[in-house]
Amino acid sequence: MDGRDLVRSVREIGSGRAARGVRTAWRRRRIDAAGLPRRGAERARVPGQVESAEPGPGGGVIRFSRSELRIMVAVNGAVFWGWDGAAPGPSYALAGGGPEPDPRAVLEPDKDGGWRVVAERVTVVVSRHGAVEVCTPGGVVLRRELPPRWWEPVEGGVGRWMQRAEVAADARFFGLGGRASGPRLRDGSYRLWNTDPGGSFAPGDDPLYLTMPVQLVVADAGTHLMFYDTTWDGTVVLREGEEGAGSGHDRAGRCELRMDGGPLRCWVMVGPPARVLLTWASLTGAPALPPAWALGHQHARWGFGSEQEVRRIVAGYQERGLPLDAVHLDIDHYDDHRVFTVDRERFPKLPVLAEELRRDGIRLVSVVDPAVKAAPGDAVYDGGTAVDAFVRDASGRPVRGVVWAGESVYPDFTHPRVRQWWGGLYEERLEQGFAGFWHDMNEPVSFNAFGEPTLPRSARHALEGRGGDHREAHNVYGLCMARAGYEGLRELAPQERPFLFTRSGWAGMQRYGGTWSGDVATGWPGLRASLSLVLGLGLCGVPYSGPDVGGFDGSPSPELYLRWFQLGAYLPLFRTHASHRAGRREPWEFGSEVLEHARAALLERRRLLPYFVTLSHLARRTGAPYVRPVWWSAPEDRALRDCEDTFLLGDSLLVAPVLEPGADRRVVRLPRGRWYDTATERAYEGPGQVLVDAPLSRIPVFARAGAVLPVRGDSGLELEAWAPAPGRTGGGLVIRDAGDGWDVPEIERYVSRHQGGKVAVTREGEDGVSEPEWPVRVRGLG
């Protein structure tokens, strides 16, 4: 802990708690010094030369003089390989036991003493020294993994390793979890260690709350997703390639991954982006389906303070005719900041308040932190102590940190018994009337030293019975907490879809819910970072996310607030939220002009809710994110690969947010095809760039020609059809549900075409072609 950490701690929690935090930090360092083995002399190792191979299901095992490589092609098309005997499981990322091997994939000899496995979508070639090439069925190399290197302690213990890879010179990197810079990841070093940055963050701050060893690499030759399945601390260094001018040679793009431990095992998926994300979802689990109300507008503030203030804010929305679907209560509604409690003085009748709001179509959402106040007599602490729930150090003592409630202990969510106990605690939240849950501070965080792990690296964890320490458990702590909450809610309220989103997580977290930006800085860079985070997380398989509109800890100008609000209206999680120090985030607090323009954004979000519901079901069925990069359907378009300020919302809409101050026009890059400005209905032809108006009242939004969107009309569901280009057809999907529950709705398919001088929309299904049962409004005919 340095001087800056101390100053930051004092500012955040006061001098008394900061002093305890300093003591905790030094105590943690002493614990690690005693509990972790000293890293002495190390022995370097590489695989050596190939010696033999043994075919097996979906591939086989290739033995080298100093290691062995297991390769398996799964039935879903994903390819696994693991060194030193590593198998696909156990893994926190995989759904269930993982996919079955593809019996059609066979290990066979290759040239120069190497081996290869040929599958339907990919060919994997292994050289006699241990290099691994991932190739398209036509033989084009997408990725070349050089032989790995290990450094193992001479006296035994956990070894560390390095894996270097080369990709095409034109390739672009995306992913690695939630990153403020991007979504395209440029040259630099990216740490894989979930971290609270200790205050508001902006582009360039790294790491953040949610990291993943997941890379999506896009090149002319094809797209592939690479997942290194190890939860240990590590660093990824990326270097984009460079194509040679004239007759010059290309310089390949490079990726270097260094991990402090864990198995060297990975999965690779090859194909168009939609297929890659479908394969990823089948491997790691389908995204959780939020209830329909969670796709509306949600309002939060750290510092509501009382039931009266909540009622005042809700009345403000209602009196001004502004849609509101949920209100979030932060830690200030707790009794002395203790989790699973209520301050009875300020919230004396919380269940009554929740019921009143529900009658008006508004749900209450509760923050839930993992830290438990270490105080005998506290119900959660006593219950956790009874089931031995809390993380212990190497000496067997419960590990303590300093959080909002003071000295606290931390549940070990890597133990099934602890997850079951914790999941049962949500019964108290349900009885208070809460309908959704927001997991915070679960990297986990302590105020001992920002940027460092809360728990000692030597702290002991169950790790599903395998046993291990915090070096392995840290990155999956938030993931396992989300699992505990999700499974508890499924058991306590089996008729309802849980609504849960979490600040920290890891690969596979989409099975339990979504995430949000955390404490993004108030400012134009923070606005841009918000979009980067949502796009990047979607390409890592987390489709439901969004920022704190306006930034968490600052005072946005009216223009910045409005532009952030307009962006948020087109993102999956649409939530205003701010620190108690940052002032209010209600639209009417920024003047009458901002209020009217924010009203328009809210009403448009309400109108598009049936489209968002359809996208949520498609995400669950296919893994496709709601928010997609503009190159989603044309990854071979290099100009689109470099476009970071525009996105697709599903297949039908293109959104161009305003990310700079004072702008009333902006350049928009369009993919191939005809696109309609939804405000003017003027048609533009892509691919290419267009200059369009972006007045303060709106941001540019375009509809794809031929698209058929479900929208909310005056009398219910309507179909909004955009005229196809001459000689072309279009279409769209509609998936309806009752707003909650587990019934699987059917997919309605609609086609638009020119017919008899008009645009006709028909429903097409197994029973043939029929007229839509919903009113149809055709646009783009002018």
Side-chain angles (χ1 to χ4, degrees):
M1 186 178 202
D2 59 22
R4 288 178 299 173
D5 292 325
L6 178 58
V7 171
R8 197 177 299 160
S9 298
V10 172
R11 186 181 71 239
E12 291 287 335
I13 61 176
S15 59
R17 288 182 182 171
R20 292 200 299 272
V22 173
R23 292 195 297 270
T24 303
W26 287 116
R27 184 169 63 212
R28 180 188 58 77
R29 293 193 174 187
R30 289 198 304 271
I31 290 171
D32 277 347
L36 288 178
R38 294 183 180 275
R39 185 174 291 278
E42 293 180 320
R43 179 187 300 111
R45 179 167 64 85
V46 294
Q49 292 241 17
V50 69
E51 293 185 341
S52 64
E54 179 183 341
V61 176
I62 303 172
R63 294 185 176 87
F64 297 82
S65 59
R66 303 182 191 91
S67 187
E68 68 177 32
L69 175 66
R70 181 191 304 272
I71 299 180
M72 182 198 74
V73 179
V75 291
N76 62 3
V79 179
F80 168 85
W81 70 76
W83 288 93
D84 278 3
S91 169
Y92 279 105
L94 303 189
E100 296 294 321
D102 184 348
R104 299 170 297 175
V106 179
L107 179 68
E108 58 187 29
D110 193 52
K111 59 184 178 180
D112 298 328
W115 294 82
R116 67 179 181 178
V117 178
V118 179
E120 179 182 6
R121 302 174 188 169
V122 63
T123 299
V124 180
V125 179
V126 182
S127 78
R128 59 194 178 97
H129 294 290
V132 181
E133 291 183 346
V134 179
C135 308
T136 66
V140 178
V141 178
L142 296 177
R143 187 181 191 95
R144 184 171 188 266
E145 300 262 325
L146 303 179
R149 298 180 182 181
W150 293 269
W151 289 268
E152 299 170 339
V154 173
E155 298 180 356
V158 176
R160 52 195 179 95
W161 51 267
M162 176 183 70
Q163 178 69 71
R164 290 175 175 168
E166 296 176 346
V167 297
D170 65 283
R172 297 290 182 260
F173 296 98
F174 301 85
L176 296 182
R179 303 288 169 174
S181 299
R184 171 184 160 195
L185 300 177
R186 288 171 168 77
D187 294 359
S189 178
Y190 301 87
R191 191 178 176 195
L192 299 169
W193 188 252
N194 293 349
T195 305
D196 172 18
S200 299
F201 68 87
D205 291 328
D206 188 81
L208 296 180
Y209 315 95
L210 202 165
T211 67
M212 296 183 194
V214 179
Q215 302 172 26
L216 190 74
V217 185
V218 186
D220 288 355
T223 300
H224 71 274
L225 183 149
M226 194 77 186
F227 168 50
Y228 295 95
D229 192 357
T230 177
T231 66
W232 287 65
D233 192 0
T235 301
V236 179
V237 178
L238 301 178
R239 292 287 182 271
E240 291 184 345
E242 184 177 345
E243 294 180 292
S247 59
H249 294 289
D250 289 350
R251 177 173 60 81
R254 299 181 184 276
C255 167
E256 179 181 289
L257 177 65
R258 291 178 178 266
M259 302 299 296
D260 286 350
L264 203 178
R265 58 184 180 185
C266 55
W267 291 86
V268 64
M269 285 134 262
V270 173
R275 177 183 290 174
V276 166
L277 267 294
L278 174 62
T279 305
W280 175 249
S282 70
L283 182 71
T284 61
L289 187 66
W293 61 262
L295 296 170
H297 179 233
Q298 306 179 50
H299 187 86
R301 191 172 80 230
W302 176 16
F304 273 131
S306 67
E307 289 182 12
Q308 290 75 18
E309 178 66 2
V310 173
R311 287 191 171 92
R312 188 188 73 81
I313 296 300
V314 171
Y317 274 93
Q318 294 171 336
E319 291 166 1
R320 294 168 175 84
L322 304 176
L324 179 64
D325 295 272
V327 172
H328 296 213
L329 298 187
D330 210 325
I331 55 173
D332 49 298
H333 87 279
Y334 283 146
D335 180 11
D336 193 29
H337 298 113
R338 292 180 296 123
V339 68
F340 297 115
T341 65
V342 174
D343 186 328
R344 300 295 179 179
E345 292 185 4
R346 293 184 295 165
F347 293 87
K349 297 180 180 180
L350 191 54
V352 175
L353 172 64
E355 182 56 33
E356 291 175 1
L357 295 180
R358 188 181 285 263
R359 286 198 296 267
D360 290 334
I362 302 170
R363 269 64 171 191
L364 269 186
V365 175
S366 172
V367 69
V368 177
D369 291 351
V372 176
K373 186 177 179 64
D378 179 272
V380 180
Y381 177 77
D382 291 344
T385 301
V387 298
D388 190 20
F390 303 121
V391 175
R392 296 178 179 272
D393 62 24
S395 301
R397 295 184 297 266
V399 174
R400 296 194 176 196
V402 178
V403 201
W404 300 114
E407 285 219 344
S408 303
V409 290
Y410 299 83
D412 181 7
F413 296 115
T414 69
H415 197 304
R417 183 188 68 246
V418 177
R419 289 198 296 268
Q420 184 176 18
W421 162 75
W422 184 266
L425 297 177
Y426 289 75
E427 183 174 12
E428 180 271 343
R429 297 283 86 185
L430 295 175
E431 290 174 350
Q432 296 295 339
F434 289 107
F437 305 92
W438 143 39
H439 288 181
D440 201 358
M441 308 290 285
N442 58 344
E443 288 72 36
V445 170
S446 169
F447 297 132
N448 54 24
F450 289 99
E452 296 187 12
T454 291
L455 304 182
R457 290 176 180 261
S458 59
R460 305 301 298 170
H461 290 265
L463 291 169
E464 316 308 318
R466 293 180 288 111
D469 59 42
H470 196 63
R471 294 175 297 173
E472 184 177 358
H474 175 84
N475 280 337
V476 294
Y477 191 87
L479 170 74
C480 293
M481 180 185 177
R483 177 181 177 181
Y486 184 86
E487 292 177 347
L489 292 167
R490 285 295 309 269
E491 185 172 339
L492 292 168
Q495 73 282 3
E496 298 180 3
R497 300 199 293 262
F499 175 55
L500 186 154
F501 62 105
T502 172
R503 193 168 78 171
S504 182
W506 201 65
M509 59 170 287
Q510 73 276 357
R511 300 190 294 263
Y512 312 118
T515 185
W516 90 104
S517 63
D519 299 346
V520 62
T522 297
W524 293 94
L527 171 59
R528 187 176 289 272
S530 297
L531 178 57
S532 297
L533 282 159
V534 174
L535 281 166
L537 286 164
L539 296 176
C540 291
V542 184
Y544 184 88
S545 67
D548 286 345
V549 168
F552 176 71
D553 200 359
S555 299
S557 67
E559 180 192 12
L560 173 60
Y561 172 81
L562 180 59
R563 291 310 195 186
W564 216 317
F565 200 91
Q566 291 167 335
L567 169 62
Y570 293 95
L571 300 180
L573 173 60
F574 181 20
R575 182 178 88 144
T576 52
H577 181 230
S579 162
H580 64 294
R581 296 182 298 269
R584 302 187 183 279
R585 287 288 188 270
E586 294 79 46
W588 55 88
E589 297 289 345
F590 294 85
S592 59
E593 183 181 19
V594 169
L595 173 60
E596 290 310 306
H597 298 334
R599 183 198 314 279
L602 281 169
L603 293 177
E604 180 64 6
R605 174 61 171 241
R606 179 59 57 95
R607 193 180 75 90
L608 290 174
L609 273 180
Y611 185 53
F612 274 92
V613 168
T614 295
L615 294 179
S616 70
H617 280 277
L618 290 176
R620 180 162 181 82
R621 298 182 189 213
T622 69
Y626 311 31
V627 171
R628 308 165 187 177
V630 289
W631 48 259
W632 178 258
S633 298
E636 71 284 354
D637 188 326
R638 296 189 179 188
L640 293 180
R641 291 207 298 261
D642 293 338
C643 179
E644 300 177 277
D645 61 358
T646 307
F647 63 90
L648 297 174
L649 181 60
D651 285 330
S652 300
L653 296 179
L654 182 147
V655 182
V658 175
L659 304 176
E660 297 178 354
D664 58 6
R665 307 188 81 189
R666 65 152 292 176
V667 174
V668 179
R669 181 169 291 281
L670 297 175
R672 183 177 302 278
R674 173 171 293 184
W675 296 86
Y676 295 98
D677 184 323
T678 58
T680 66
E681 300 194 24
R682 177 180 174 181
Y684 297 89
E685 298 294 334
Q689 289 184 322
V690 296
L691 179 63
V692 296
D693 291 334
L696 199 60
S697 60
R698 63 179 175 86
I699 57 176
V701 178
F702 296 81
R704 189 189 300 272
V708 179
L709 290 80
V711 299
R712 176 181 287 186
D714 294 336
S715 58
L717 185 71
E718 293 181 355
L719 299 180
E720 181 175 273
W722 290 87
R728 312 279 296 188
T729 62
L733 304 177
V734 179
I735 304 178
R736 295 174 290 151
D737 69 15
D740 211 334
W742 298 97
D743 293 339
V744 179
E746 67 172 317
I747 299 179
E748 303 173 17
R749 304 178 186 274
Y750 294 91
V751 174
S752 62
R753 58 173 59 88
H754 291 280
Q755 184 174 307
K758 299 181 179 180
V759 173
V761 176
T762 56
R763 179 176 178 179
E764 301 192 355
E766 296 179 355
D767 299 330
V769 179
S770 60
E771 292 296 318
E773 61 177 295
W774 314 110
V776 178
R777 180 187 177 200
V778 179
R779 301 184 64 185
L781 294 175

